[in-house]
Amino acid sequence: MSDLKRALSRANLGQAALLAVPWIVLQLGGFWALSDPRAGAAGAAGVGAIAMFAFLALAVWFRWSHVQLANIVQNLTDADAEYYGFFSFFRLWGDQLEFIRRRNPGYLNALRLNYIALPLAFLACVMNFWTAALLMVLIWLLTGMLVRSAVVRVVSPQDSLVPWAIRCKVILLLVLAIAAWGVVRYEASRAERMCDAKLAQLETASEPVSAADLAKRYRLNGQNGAELVAAWKMIPAIPDALARLAAPVWIENVPPDAYVEMEKFVFNQDAPMRKLTELERIPTARLGCDLAKGFEGVGDTQELIMRYRQLEWLELLRLLSAASIGNDRQVGESWTGWGNLRRQLSAEPALIYSMVVMGMESRRLDALERVVNEFGIHSDREMRLLDADLAASEKELAANLEQGLRGEVALSLISGLDPMVEWSRASGRFSGVSRLFPAFQWARFRCKFWYLEGMERFRNAVSEPQRLEAAAAWLRVLPFGAEPVVSVLSEVNGEMDRYVALLRKVRSARVALALDRSRKARGGFPETLADVSGLSAELLADPAGGPLAYSADGFEVEAVDSAAGSSRMQKFDGAEIGGRNGFRLRK
């Protein structure tokens, strides 16, 4: 093989390799990085680095081969010609254009197209026309090979043909590039079918997947409590001094007349309090979500939620003022009324409302802990009422969270369900690149599938909280391609942890009521909960598994000095049920 034919073969092979090798690395390596849990972010970065190194190395090789071929042609046409250097781009382009114009004008347009193909490909990328960009790159490859063969044919007709071995290598590179794209595209199609099958499974199980499905569950029978809350023109503002006194903290050195002022405030707000009592008799409410808009239709309810929060404050003041004078009957009524406010919001079809409901119940439990420790519950009838309400609350919280998770999935589907929306937003107008790199399509469909699968796992963990750890473990082993959905499901997992902690607190409160009765009968706390009669094994079980934590050796809590206005950690003698975030009883 002559030097001219060898240089032509290297240039053609180098140009084909420059396009095919990084393409193959990005297609197969990118798919591996997104789909293999062992790859992670480091694997994705490694694939990108390898593709970039391969591109730069092959670009240098192709440029060197192209310059070498040009110098051989120069030597064959004009012995006195100046040789081209590695960076002599413009002189080589100009001389090549002039050479083709004089010696082989039939290829002049092919050369011109070769010169503008890469700039046009770059412009197409900027304008998000990725298919056009790929077409321009292929045109650059074909016209480059044609023009080089034409130049060689002019100076040495016998060396005009590239050897079959080189042709086969070029064809093999292009076939491998197409095959790499095809393999990943097949995997993307499989992921799409899996996603569709998961959606069909939800529909078969009568899970809500559309606005119409949600609307059937969102119907209201009877009066709408939210309408009364929205129509309440002026909810009484809570004085700062009373708000500080009613804060959900342990308070020391309370002035003797502090609760007198609270009782006066409640008495002076007789009309709003009666109105609040009437409102609490309404079993349900609808905040007015526009289900057809998905999550966009949920965002207009913030003002109503804030109004419900103001009503909670009113009921809290009524509860504390009643407890301060030993009015157990009113304590029971206020406790039940506060729970009814929470129950009104328990039918809203989104996870955020489940979080609102859990927050209301958590504040109600904090108030109960304060009432029991600061004032005590003296009536057995009210004790039984509180225990029955807490037992019902545990079931209601589970049903509410299940509904919230179902509604969250349905609203996601109505809104387009794209867990990769943050990646799409980050890539902006370059989203069309997924057509050329189907690994992104694979990740999008798999993320949808993982989102539906994860929400189903969390929903199953509502009735069996012990399964939450398995769901969290499954979440931790998802591959790097699941990163967008992992961030979404991690937030749901955090809310599930809050739910389990709240269940633990509810059970701890029920145990605390029994302990309070036992303390009054025996004069102290038992060493173990097994010594307390009337407690079922289910009640003494921690929702996350194992027995409910219990200690009669005292506890430490942050207490606020009402007179000084400062807080500090303080040790109290008493019992702690359910751990640090459970329920505490002082001796």
Side-chain angles (χ1 to χ4, degrees):
M1 185 187 302
S2 67
D3 291 341
L4 183 63
K5 182 175 290 190
R6 189 177 293 109
L8 175 62
S9 300
R10 277 197 300 265
N12 287 348
L13 185 61
Q15 188 179 17
L18 175 61
L19 298 182
V21 173
W23 174 271
I24 294 171
V25 171
L26 288 176
Q27 293 288 353
L28 298 181
F31 176 71
W32 167 79
L34 292 176
S35 61
D36 194 326
R38 296 169 297 180
V47 169
I50 292 173
M52 180 61 68
F53 175 79
F55 177 79
L56 293 176
L58 291 170
V60 170
W61 181 41
F62 168 63
R63 179 62 187 172
W64 174 78
S65 301
H66 193 188
V67 169
Q68 186 183 42
L69 176 62
N71 284 329
I72 293 175
V73 171
Q74 278 287 81
N75 188 45
L76 293 175
T77 55
D78 190 346
D80 298 328
E82 179 183 357
Y83 291 128
Y84 300 108
F86 187 85
F87 297 102
S88 55
F89 292 98
F90 295 105
R91 188 168 68 87
L92 193 153
W93 289 341
D95 290 350
Q96 189 177 34
L97 186 63
E98 183 61 26
F99 181 87
I100 291 294
R101 181 184 291 112
R102 290 188 293 103
R103 308 289 293 271
N104 201 343
Y107 286 88
L108 186 60
N109 288 333
L111 181 60
R112 288 170 176 166
L113 188 57
N114 178 261
Y115 285 172
I116 66 172
L118 285 184
L120 287 177
F122 177 77
L123 181 62
C125 291
V126 172
M127 298 178 66
N128 203 23
F129 297 135
W130 291 91
T131 304
L134 178 61
L135 180 61
M136 287 296 102
V137 170
L138 293 176
I139 288 175
W140 174 73
L141 172 65
L142 295 176
T143 55
M145 291 182 177
L146 284 174
V147 170
R148 282 190 295 272
S149 296
V151 170
V152 171
R153 189 179 296 111
V154 170
V155 298
S156 180
Q158 68 275 14
D159 292 329
S160 61
L161 294 178
V162 176
W164 274 105
I166 301 299
R167 293 185 185 185
C168 290
K169 290 179 182 179
V170 170
I171 293 173
L172 179 61
L173 283 172
L174 297 179
V175 169
L176 289 176
I178 295 172
W181 179 89
V183 167
V184 182
R185 184 68 189 88
Y186 170 74
E187 292 296 332
S189 298
R190 283 187 61 203
E192 184 177 10
R193 290 193 296 271
M194 289 179 64
C195 185
D196 292 341
K198 191 66 177 179
L199 287 172
Q201 178 185 345
L202 292 177
E203 293 179 358
T204 303
S206 299
E207 295 290 337
V209 295
S210 66
D213 295 337
L214 272 185
K216 294 177 183 177
R217 298 167 179 253
Y218 197 59
R219 291 174 180 169
L220 176 65
N221 296 319
Q223 194 173 5
N224 186 353
E227 291 179 352
L228 295 182
V229 175
W232 198 328
K233 294 183 179 179
M234 187 65 68
I235 298 177
I238 309 298
D240 291 341
L242 295 184
R244 288 192 296 270
L245 180 61
V249 294
W250 285 66
I251 297 182
E252 296 292 308
N253 298 325
V254 179
D257 62 342
Y259 288 107
V260 175
E261 293 299 320
M262 183 182 294
E263 187 179 355
K264 287 180 180 179
F265 174 82
V266 172
F267 180 79
N268 292 334
Q269 301 296 330
D270 180 62
M273 289 300 179
R274 282 190 284 106
K275 188 174 182 178
L276 176 58
T277 301
E278 294 175 4
L279 172 66
E280 291 168 347
R281 294 194 182 104
I282 300 174
T284 56
R286 293 293 183 272
L287 300 183
C289 301
D290 190 346
L291 302 178
K293 292 183 179 180
F295 287 116
E296 291 183 3
V298 174
D300 298 332
T301 59
Q302 184 175 0
E303 184 178 350
L304 266 175
I305 295 297
M306 294 303 297
R307 282 175 165 264
Y308 271 95
R309 184 72 182 97
Q310 291 175 282
L311 297 179
E312 279 189 84
W313 273 103
L314 286 180
E315 196 59 78
L316 173 60
L317 294 185
R318 183 158 61 179
L319 175 70
L320 292 178
S321 62
S324 68
I325 60 174
N327 188 348
D328 285 350
R329 182 186 61 81
Q330 182 57 54
V331 168
E333 291 179 0
S334 292
W335 170 263
T336 304
W338 194 348
N340 289 339
L341 285 180
R342 184 257 299 165
R343 292 179 180 96
Q344 281 189 14
L345 300 180
S346 296
E348 295 300 307
L351 189 58
I352 186 174
Y353 297 119
S354 298
M355 301 305 103
V356 170
V357 165
M358 287 196 290
M360 293 176 73
E361 186 64 20
S362 180
R363 290 187 291 270
R364 199 167 72 121
L365 290 169
D366 289 338
L368 178 62
E369 183 180 61
R370 181 169 171 180
V371 166
V372 171
N373 283 284
E374 199 167 339
F375 309 110
I377 303 293
H378 310 288
S379 167
D380 289 339
R381 175 180 177 276
E382 300 306 326
M383 278 284 198
R384 290 193 297 271
L385 183 148
L386 293 173
D387 183 71
D389 185 271
L390 287 169
S393 294
E394 182 172 343
K395 297 178 181 178
E396 291 165 357
L397 290 170
N400 170 251
L401 184 55
E402 282 191 21
Q403 178 166 297
L405 291 170
R406 285 188 169 94
E408 192 78 5
V409 171
L411 290 171
S412 297
L413 292 170
I414 295 168
S415 301
L417 184 53
D418 188 2
M420 292 186 68
V421 65
E422 293 300 328
W423 282 15
S424 300
R425 188 178 294 119
S427 60
R429 46 201 174 87
F430 297 104
S431 58
V433 74
S434 61
R435 297 192 197 95
L436 300 185
F437 295 96
F440 290 107
Q441 291 182 341
W442 175 89
R444 173 167 282 108
F445 290 121
R446 287 294 287 178
C447 278
K448 290 181 180 180
F449 175 84
W450 285 322
Y451 173 80
L452 297 173
E453 175 71 18
M455 293 297 279
E456 183 178 2
R457 287 172 180 262
F458 288 133
R459 194 171 65 249
N460 293 334
V462 172
S463 57
E464 299 179 62
Q466 300 87 348
R467 301 174 67 173
L468 184 58
E469 181 56 38
W474 169 81
L475 196 59
R476 288 192 294 269
V477 299
L478 290 180
F480 180 67
E483 191 63 28
V485 79
V486 166
S487 61
V488 174
L489 292 179
S490 294
E491 295 180 5
V492 179
N493 186 53
E495 301 302 340
M496 292 294 299
D497 289 336
R498 282 184 56 195
Y499 163 72
V500 173
L502 183 58
L503 285 190
R504 183 180 298 116
K505 195 167 186 176
V506 170
R507 293 183 184 181
S508 299
R510 295 184 64 192
V511 171
L513 294 178
L515 276 176
D516 193 44
R517 289 193 298 268
S518 174
R519 175 184 59 178
K520 292 173 183 177
R522 300 183 179 184
F525 295 113
E527 290 296 323
T528 66
L529 294 178
D531 298 331
V532 182
S533 61
L535 297 181
S536 65
E538 181 183 0
L539 184 59
L540 295 178
D542 190 286
L548 195 65
Y550 171 72
S551 171
D553 299 328
F555 55 89
E556 195 175 42
V557 68
E558 185 177 7
V560 175
D561 190 314
S562 180
S566 59
S567 63
R568 63 185 178 89
M569 297 302 294
Q570 188 171 341
K571 180 79 173 182
F572 291 95
D573 290 332
E576 185 177 65
I577 311 105
R580 292 186 60 85
N581 296 319
F583 203 96
R584 295 168 287 264
L585 282 177
R586 287 194 295 187
K587 283 187 177 180

